[in-house]
Amino acid sequence: MKSTVLVGEPIDYELRYDHAPDLEVVFPDSVAAFAPFEYTGKTFFPTRTRNGRSLDRTIYHLRTFRLDSVQTLALPVMVLRGRDTLRVAPAPSRVRLLRTAPPQPAGALPELRQNLALVPVEPVFNYPYWLAGGVGVLLLLAGGATLFRRRLTRRYQSYKRRKNHGYFLAQFARHVERFDLSRSATNVERAVALWKNYLAGLENSELSSFTTREIVAYFENDVDVRKALSATDKVIYGNLQTEDAKEVDRAFQRLRGFAERRYASVTQ
């Protein structure tokens, strides 16, 4: 659609075909041979029929990077006739290349200008390496967790038991101290309940819901457990008497001593 073009400049090529209305016509698409030009797009128009003739029209948007002085193009149109296809090519269209660089003598090379100044380059975040490093760290952590899981689990369980044991001793001592001040059966009941709950967690059992007889049987008729719970049951269910205070103190000592022995046996 113009006679001259610059390198890389867009240029339009218009293709028209005038034919009988009963013909089936196919225009070139983006995969056609556009050399020496490059295809960048197209604009097509609906078929227009007037006075017994049909006109098909398409404008192709092209550009060229070839340095030939004269460049030509002739896009064919396909006419479908049953099983046959007729290829109709127009006369070649020519375009002249406008050069912006001055002509050089034959065999002469342009003079090169040296520029050694450094150009600052902005650092770019290296996503692939960071992702690979992150995946590697995750794999190492997963492998380490798999390899040392048992050891870490044992250490965590040991730490948890140690914390629970310290908490039990502190709370048990507080109940004993309150009993010494008030001589109340309520403090005895709370101390025994704390002792049961602690041993239930330590033994991983339902010990807190056992009766005194079941607890004694569970610990194989241990003397300290049997005597201590017998004394505390008398206080809880039979009302505390003044002369029974020393027996309750001994019962507290037995319960605390037995809990410490069970803790030592579990942590070995």
Side-chain angles (χ1 to χ4, degrees):
M1 297 182 69
K2 59 182 181 179
S3 59
T4 60
V5 68
L6 296 172
V7 172
E9 180 187 20
I11 185 172
D12 291 339
Y13 175 90
E14 183 177 2
L15 181 61
R16 297 186 178 190
Y17 186 60
D18 182 80
H19 57 89
D22 58 344
L23 290 182
E24 187 174 357
V25 179
V26 178
F27 271 45
D29 58 6
S30 60
V31 297
F34 292 93
F37 300 90
E38 293 183 2
Y39 172 86
T40 61
K42 68 178 179 179
T43 303
F44 63 90
F45 303 89
T47 302
R48 185 177 62 183
T49 302
R50 290 182 180 178
N51 302 324
R53 299 294 296 177
S54 295
L55 176 65
D56 285 306
R57 176 173 170 241
T58 299
I59 297 178
Y60 296 91
H61 310 297
L62 311 172
R63 61 182 179 178
T64 181
F65 294 95
R66 297 283 293 273
L67 300 180
D68 300 338
S69 299
V70 177
Q71 301 180 25
T72 62
L73 180 65
L75 291 180
V77 174
M78 302 299 176
V79 179
L80 305 182
R81 293 180 176 178
R83 297 183 178 180
D84 296 329
T85 301
L86 177 62
R87 187 175 183 269
V88 181
S93 297
R94 293 176 174 84
V95 65
R96 187 168 56 88
L97 183 68
L98 293 179
R99 300 180 182 273
T100 57
Q104 299 290 326
L109 296 176
E111 182 181 356
L112 298 180
R113 290 178 296 179
Q114 180 175 308
N115 184 2
L116 301 180
L118 297 179
V119 178
V121 179
E122 294 185 3
V124 179
F125 188 79
N126 199 329
Y127 289 98
Y129 283 121
W130 277 96
L131 289 176
V135 172
V137 170
L138 291 177
L139 291 176
L140 288 176
L141 291 176
T146 303
L147 185 62
F148 301 105
R149 182 173 58 184
R150 289 186 178 180
R151 183 181 300 177
L152 293 175
T153 301
R154 286 197 300 266
R155 293 187 63 178
Y156 173 74
Q157 293 296 336
S158 177
Y159 168 79
K160 189 176 180 181
R161 283 193 298 267
R162 186 167 61 253
K163 294 287 290 185
N164 290 339
H165 186 68
Y167 176 80
F168 160 74
L169 293 178
Q171 293 298 316
F172 193 83
R174 183 174 301 176
H175 289 308
V176 173
E177 182 179 358
R178 289 176 179 175
F179 172 77
D180 291 339
L181 296 176
S182 63
R183 298 299 178 180
S184 171
T186 302
N187 290 321
V188 177
E189 185 176 4
R190 291 175 179 175
V192 173
L194 176 66
W195 181 83
K196 288 182 179 181
N197 290 330
Y198 170 71
L199 286 180
L202 187 65
E203 302 283 340
N204 193 21
S205 65
E206 300 295 333
L207 196 67
S208 58
S209 62
F210 287 4
T211 63
T212 298
R213 181 175 298 179
E214 291 172 339
I215 294 175
V216 172
Y218 180 84
F219 290 119
E220 299 178 354
N221 201 29
D222 184 87
V223 176
D224 288 338
V225 174
R226 177 167 50 81
K227 289 184 177 182
L229 292 182
S230 176
T232 55
D233 283 350
K234 292 179 182 179
V235 175
I236 296 172
Y237 302 109
N239 294 325
L240 175 65
Q241 301 296 326
T242 304
E243 59 272 12
D244 296 328
K246 292 184 179 180
E247 185 177 356
V248 175
D249 291 338
R250 287 194 297 270
F252 284 151
Q253 294 176 4
R254 292 177 187 273
L255 294 177
R256 182 174 57 249
F258 180 79
E260 291 180 345
R261 292 199 304 274
R262 298 300 293 185
Y263 169 76
S265 64
V266 170
T267 54
Q268 287 180 352

